[in-house]
């Protein structure tokens, strides 16, 4: 069965410091991987995706993510956090069909 | 381009009542999705349409939930009768073709509270 794990419910980081939001997945085959961000009372916004190719993918707002097949991970990163990055982040996996399976989300708080 | 439109934004009803949500996807998007997001959880797919046909409704509680997309454009999701556990945010999303490689575009959702 497909599953996505975001092991941290909450991540706190100081403004200007690098941030990492972790994601691991359990899917058969070669999945498509996504990160979305959700601001209060808003829908999800697409940040970036990994389909194939280079393991480091770059996305919106300076975010990037590293795909690691051996560790089945797809961690979200940013070199320098902004207060405006504070939001709820969701990792999602598409096992190759049409469905997206989401993790439970990680709340990122960037402290000024 | 205009985003995915949903209405209403908020709805409060009593258990056993009925409720309907409306979604208008991005123009030209063939695929439309309805998700249920319970507080503290990630979105869970309820139903996926490709044009006006159902691709996947395996997670839709069909005894009380129904959805339609009659003309392959906008869609309505209905709950009848509502239960307390239906309290959630209902998100609509769309994508151009429904390929797994495409990102989905989400509306702002309808927050449903059941009293």
């Amino acid at each position: 069965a497909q599953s996505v794990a975001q092991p941290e419910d909450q991540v706190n980081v100081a403004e200007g410091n690098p941030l990492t939001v972790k994601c691991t997945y359990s899917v058969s085959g070669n999945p498509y991987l996504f990160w979305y961000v959700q601001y209060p009372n808003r829908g999800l916004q697409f940040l970036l995706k990994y389909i194939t190719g280079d393991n480091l993918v770059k996305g919106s707002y300076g975010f990037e993510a590293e795909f690691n097949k051996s560790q089945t991970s797809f961690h979200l990163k940013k070199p320098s956090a902004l207060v405006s990055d504070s939001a709820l982040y969701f990792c999602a996996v598409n096992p190759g069909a049409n469905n997206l399976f989401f993790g439970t989300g990680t709340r990122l708080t960037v402290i000024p | 381009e205009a985003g995915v439109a949903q209405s209403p934004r908020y709805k409060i009803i009593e258990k056993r009542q009925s409720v309907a949500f409306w979604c208008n996807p991005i123009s030209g998007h063939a695929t439309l999705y309805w998700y249920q997001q319970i507080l503290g959880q990630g979105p869970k797919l309820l139903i996926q349409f490709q044009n006006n046909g159902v691709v996947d409704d395996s997670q839709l509680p069909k005894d009380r939930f129904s959805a339609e997309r009659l003309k392959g454009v906008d869609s309505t999701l209905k709950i009848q009768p509502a239960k307390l556990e239906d309290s959630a945010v209902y998100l609509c999303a769309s994508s151009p073709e429904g390929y797994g490689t495409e990102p989905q575009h989400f509306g702002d959702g309808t927050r449903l509270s059941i009293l």
Side-chain angles (χ1 to χ4, degrees), chain A residues 22-97:
Chain A
K22 296 179 181 177
C23 172
T24 60
Y25 63 91
S26 175
V27 169
S28 57
N30 297 315
Y32 308 133
L33 298 159
F34 299 81
W35 275 102
Y36 287 83
V37 60
Q38 187 175 34
Y39 296 99
N41 298 316
R42 301 298 301 275
L44 281 69
Q45 295 179 32
F46 168 72
L47 278 179
L48 51 77
K49 65 180 180 180
Y50 173 81
I51 305 302
T52 187
D54 194 351
N55 289 342
L56 185 66
V57 293
K58 295 186 183 297
S60 306
Y61 313 119
F63 284 93
E64 57 190 28
E66 186 168 13
F67 171 65
N68 187 316
K69 188 172 183 177
S70 63
Q71 298 185 4
T72 61
S73 67
F74 189 55
H75 301 331
L76 181 70
K77 300 180 179 183
K78 188 174 182 181
S80 178
L82 300 173
V83 173
S84 57
D85 293 331
S86 298
L88 189 56
Y89 290 80
F90 288 97
C91 181
V93 59
N94 184 317

Side-chain angles (χ1 to χ4, degrees), chain B residues 13-33:
Chain B
I13 62 171
E14 295 184 347
K15 60 183 179 184
R16 292 187 288 274
Q17 286 187 326
S18 62
V19 64
F21 314 126
W22 175 82
C23 172
N24 192 31
I26 292 173
S27 178
H29 281 195
T31 310
L32 185 147
Y33 312 81

Side-chain angles (χ1 to χ4, degrees), chain B residues 22-60:
Chain B
W22 175 82
C23 172
N24 192 31
I26 292 173
S27 178
H29 281 195
T31 310
L32 185 147
Y33 312 81
W34 282 103
Y35 288 88
Q36 180 191 58
Q37 185 178 16
I38 293 173
L39 186 64
Q41 299 181 19
K44 183 187 80 171
L45 180 70
L46 292 175
I47 189 168
Q48 178 184 345
F49 292 95
Q50 183 75 13
N51 296 307
N52 60 351
V54 175
V55 174
D56 184 352
D57 63 356
S58 58
Q59 299 295 308
L60 188 73

